[in-house]
PDB file of all heavy atoms in Angstrom:
ATOM      1  N   GLN A 208     -21.851  -0.690  -7.508  1.00  0.00           N
ATOM      2  CA  GLN A 208     -21.818  -1.600  -6.357  1.00  0.00           C
ATOM      3  C   GLN A 208     -21.985  -0.860  -5.037  1.00  0.00           C
ATOM      4  O   GLN A 208     -21.352   0.168  -4.817  1.00  0.00           O
ATOM      5  CB  GLN A 208     -20.490  -2.371  -6.336  1.00  0.00           C
ATOM      6  CG  GLN A 208     -20.250  -3.227  -7.567  1.00  0.00           C
ATOM      7  CD  GLN A 208     -21.283  -4.315  -7.738  1.00  0.00           C
ATOM      8  OE1 GLN A 208     -21.739  -4.905  -6.751  1.00  0.00           O
ATOM      9  NE2 GLN A 208     -21.645  -4.590  -8.981  1.00  0.00           N
ATOM     10  N   PRO A 209     -22.816  -1.373  -4.130  1.00  0.00           N
ATOM     11  CA  PRO A 209     -22.974  -0.741  -2.814  1.00  0.00           C
ATOM     12  C   PRO A 209     -21.730  -0.924  -1.956  1.00  0.00           C
ATOM     13  O   PRO A 209     -20.912  -1.816  -2.202  1.00  0.00           O
ATOM     14  CB  PRO A 209     -24.182  -1.464  -2.216  1.00  0.00           C
ATOM     15  CG  PRO A 209     -24.220  -2.784  -2.910  1.00  0.00           C
ATOM     16  CD  PRO A 209     -23.693  -2.546  -4.299  1.00  0.00           C
ATOM     17  N   ILE A 210     -21.617  -0.089  -0.953  1.00  0.00           N
ATOM     18  CA  ILE A 210     -20.428  -0.085  -0.116  1.00  0.00           C
ATOM     19  C   ILE A 210     -20.191  -1.437   0.539  1.00  0.00           C
ATOM     20  O   ILE A 210     -19.047  -1.835   0.779  1.00  0.00           O
ATOM     21  CB  ILE A 210     -20.518   1.040   0.952  1.00  0.00           C
ATOM     22  CG1 ILE A 210     -19.160   1.256   1.635  1.00  0.00           C
ATOM     23  CG2 ILE A 210     -21.620   0.767   1.956  1.00  0.00           C
ATOM     24  CD1 ILE A 210     -18.087   1.819   0.753  1.00  0.00           C
ATOM     25  N   GLU A 211     -21.267  -2.181   0.824  1.00  0.00           N
ATOM     26  CA  GLU A 211     -21.125  -3.444   1.547  1.00  0.00           C
ATOM     27  C   GLU A 211     -20.374  -4.504   0.745  1.00  0.00           C
ATOM     28  O   GLU A 211     -19.767  -5.401   1.329  1.00  0.00           O
ATOM     29  CB  GLU A 211     -22.506  -3.984   1.939  1.00  0.00           C
ATOM     30  CG  GLU A 211     -23.251  -3.156   2.963  1.00  0.00           C
ATOM     31  CD  GLU A 211     -23.962  -1.960   2.356  1.00  0.00           C
ATOM     32  OE1 GLU A 211     -23.976  -1.798   1.112  1.00  0.00           O
ATOM     33  OE2 GLU A 211     -24.512  -1.156   3.151  1.00  0.00           O
ATOM     34  N   VAL A 212     -20.399  -4.403  -0.583  1.00  0.00           N
ATOM     35  CA  VAL A 212     -19.784  -5.458  -1.409  1.00  0.00           C
ATOM     36  C   VAL A 212     -18.724  -4.932  -2.371  1.00  0.00           C
ATOM     37  O   VAL A 212     -18.087  -5.723  -3.070  1.00  0.00           O
ATOM     38  CB  VAL A 212     -20.858  -6.221  -2.223  1.00  0.00           C
ATOM     39  CG1 VAL A 212     -21.882  -6.856  -1.304  1.00  0.00           C
ATOM     40  CG2 VAL A 212     -21.541  -5.307  -3.244  1.00  0.00           C
ATOM     41  N   ILE A 213     -18.499  -3.607  -2.407  1.00  0.00           N
ATOM     42  CA  ILE A 213     -17.643  -3.047  -3.451  1.00  0.00           C
ATOM     43  C   ILE A 213     -16.214  -3.578  -3.371  1.00  0.00           C
ATOM     44  O   ILE A 213     -15.615  -3.917  -4.393  1.00  0.00           O
ATOM     45  CB  ILE A 213     -17.659  -1.497  -3.412  1.00  0.00           C
ATOM     46  CG1 ILE A 213     -16.767  -0.916  -4.508  1.00  0.00           C
ATOM     47  CG2 ILE A 213     -17.274  -0.963  -2.053  1.00  0.00           C
ATOM     48  CD1 ILE A 213     -17.142  -1.284  -5.907  1.00  0.00           C
ATOM     49  N   CYS A 214     -15.653  -3.686  -2.181  1.00  0.00           N
ATOM     50  CA  CYS A 214     -14.262  -4.136  -2.102  1.00  0.00           C
ATOM     51  C   CYS A 214     -14.117  -5.584  -2.554  1.00  0.00           C
ATOM     52  O   CYS A 214     -13.179  -5.929  -3.277  1.00  0.00           O
ATOM     53  CB  CYS A 214     -13.732  -3.948  -0.679  1.00  0.00           C
ATOM     54  SG  CYS A 214     -13.378  -2.224  -0.275  1.00  0.00           S
ATOM     55  N   ASP A 215     -15.046  -6.423  -2.136  1.00  0.00           N
ATOM     56  CA  ASP A 215     -15.005  -7.813  -2.579  1.00  0.00           C
ATOM     57  C   ASP A 215     -15.175  -7.893  -4.093  1.00  0.00           C
ATOM     58  O   ASP A 215     -14.490  -8.678  -4.766  1.00  0.00           O
ATOM     59  CB  ASP A 215     -16.089  -8.634  -1.883  1.00  0.00           C
ATOM     60  CG  ASP A 215     -16.035 -10.102  -2.289  1.00  0.00           C
ATOM     61  OD1 ASP A 215     -15.050 -10.767  -1.949  1.00  0.00           O
ATOM     62  OD2 ASP A 215     -16.979 -10.567  -2.958  1.00  0.00           O
ATOM     63  N   HIS A 216     -16.060  -7.075  -4.647  1.00  0.00           N
ATOM     64  CA  HIS A 216     -16.282  -7.062  -6.102  1.00  0.00           C
ATOM     65  C   HIS A 216     -14.997  -6.692  -6.841  1.00  0.00           C
ATOM     66  O   HIS A 216     -14.627  -7.347  -7.826  1.00  0.00           O
ATOM     67  CB  HIS A 216     -17.392  -6.065  -6.426  1.00  0.00           C
ATOM     68  CG  HIS A 216     -17.686  -5.930  -7.889  1.00  0.00           C
ATOM     69  ND1 HIS A 216     -18.509  -6.805  -8.577  1.00  0.00           N
ATOM     70  CD2 HIS A 216     -17.241  -5.041  -8.807  1.00  0.00           C
ATOM     71  CE1 HIS A 216     -18.552  -6.450  -9.842  1.00  0.00           C
ATOM     72  NE2 HIS A 216     -17.810  -5.390 -10.012  1.00  0.00           N
ATOM     73  N   LEU A 217     -14.308  -5.659  -6.365  1.00  0.00           N
ATOM     74  CA  LEU A 217     -13.066  -5.237  -7.023  1.00  0.00           C
ATOM     75  C   LEU A 217     -11.987  -6.314  -6.927  1.00  0.00           C
ATOM     76  O   LEU A 217     -11.256  -6.576  -7.892  1.00  0.00           O
ATOM     77  CB  LEU A 217     -12.576  -3.929  -6.397  1.00  0.00           C
ATOM     78  CG  LEU A 217     -13.452  -2.695  -6.659  1.00  0.00           C
ATOM     79  CD1 LEU A 217     -12.991  -1.532  -5.795  1.00  0.00           C
ATOM     80  CD2 LEU A 217     -13.450  -2.304  -8.133  1.00  0.00           C
ATOM     81  N   ILE A 218     -11.894  -6.949  -5.776  1.00  0.00           N
ATOM     82  CA  ILE A 218     -10.899  -8.010  -5.608  1.00  0.00           C
ATOM     83  C   ILE A 218     -11.211  -9.181  -6.530  1.00  0.00           C
ATOM     84  O   ILE A 218     -10.301  -9.787  -7.114  1.00  0.00           O
ATOM     85  CB  ILE A 218     -10.814  -8.433  -4.136  1.00  0.00           C
ATOM     86  CG1 ILE A 218     -10.061  -7.341  -3.346  1.00  0.00           C
ATOM     87  CG2 ILE A 218     -10.110  -9.790  -3.980  1.00  0.00           C
ATOM     88  CD1 ILE A 218     -10.039  -7.545  -1.860  1.00  0.00           C
ATOM     89  N   GLN A 219     -12.480  -9.477  -6.712  1.00  0.00           N
ATOM     90  CA  GLN A 219     -12.853 -10.572  -7.617  1.00  0.00           C
ATOM     91  C   GLN A 219     -12.453 -10.252  -9.051  1.00  0.00           C
ATOM     92  O   GLN A 219     -12.087 -11.152  -9.828  1.00  0.00           O
ATOM     93  CB  GLN A 219     -14.357 -10.853  -7.520  1.00  0.00           C
ATOM     94  CG  GLN A 219     -14.796 -11.458  -6.204  1.00  0.00           C
ATOM     95  CD  GLN A 219     -14.034 -12.741  -5.865  1.00  0.00           C
ATOM     96  OE1 GLN A 219     -13.828 -13.601  -6.736  1.00  0.00           O
ATOM     97  NE2 GLN A 219     -13.624 -12.866  -4.614  1.00  0.00           N
ATOM     98  N   ILE A 220     -12.498  -8.979  -9.449  1.00  0.00           N
ATOM     99  CA  ILE A 220     -12.036  -8.586 -10.784  1.00  0.00           C
ATOM    100  C   ILE A 220     -10.561  -8.922 -10.945  1.00  0.00           C
ATOM    101  O   ILE A 220     -10.132  -9.487 -11.958  1.00  0.00           O
ATOM    102  CB  ILE A 220     -12.273  -7.071 -11.011  1.00  0.00           C
ATOM    103  CG1 ILE A 220     -13.770  -6.786 -11.175  1.00  0.00           C
ATOM    104  CG2 ILE A 220     -11.506  -6.587 -12.246  1.00  0.00           C
ATOM    105  CD1 ILE A 220     -14.098  -5.309 -11.279  1.00  0.00           C
ATOM    106  N   ALA A 221      -9.759  -8.566  -9.930  1.00  0.00           N
ATOM    107  CA  ALA A 221      -8.322  -8.838  -9.989  1.00  0.00           C
ATOM    108  C   ALA A 221      -8.042 -10.340  -9.992  1.00  0.00           C
ATOM    109  O   ALA A 221      -7.161 -10.823 -10.716  1.00  0.00           O
ATOM    110  CB  ALA A 221      -7.610  -8.147  -8.837  1.00  0.00           C
ATOM    111  N   LEU A 222      -8.767 -11.095  -9.188  1.00  0.00           N
ATOM    112  CA  LEU A 222      -8.571 -12.541  -9.145  1.00  0.00           C
ATOM    113  C   LEU A 222      -8.950 -13.177 -10.475  1.00  0.00           C
ATOM    114  O   LEU A 222      -8.252 -14.068 -10.978  1.00  0.00           O
ATOM    115  CB  LEU A 222      -9.394 -13.145  -8.011  1.00  0.00           C
ATOM    116  CG  LEU A 222      -8.962 -12.768  -6.588  1.00  0.00           C
ATOM    117  CD1 LEU A 222      -9.944 -13.348  -5.577  1.00  0.00           C
ATOM    118  CD2 LEU A 222      -7.551 -13.230  -6.293  1.00  0.00           C
ATOM    119  N   ALA A 223     -10.054 -12.713 -11.076  1.00  0.00           N
ATOM    120  CA  ALA A 223     -10.483 -13.250 -12.362  1.00  0.00           C
ATOM    121  C   ALA A 223      -9.461 -12.923 -13.455  1.00  0.00           C
ATOM    122  O   ALA A 223      -9.299 -13.685 -14.417  1.00  0.00           O
ATOM    123  CB  ALA A 223     -11.847 -12.684 -12.738  1.00  0.00           C
ATOM    124  N   GLY A 224      -8.734 -11.804 -13.282  1.00  0.00           N
ATOM    125  CA  GLY A 224      -7.735 -11.418 -14.274  1.00  0.00           C
ATOM    126  C   GLY A 224      -6.424 -12.155 -14.122  1.00  0.00           C
ATOM    127  O   GLY A 224      -5.560 -12.067 -15.000  1.00  0.00           O
TER     128      GLY A 224
END
Side-chain angles (χ1 to χ4, degrees):
Q208 300 297 323
I210 192 67
E211 293 82 5
V212 301
I213 180 60
C214 286
D215 182 66
H216 178 83
L217 292 170
I218 286 173
Q219 291 305 316
I220 288 175
L222 293 175

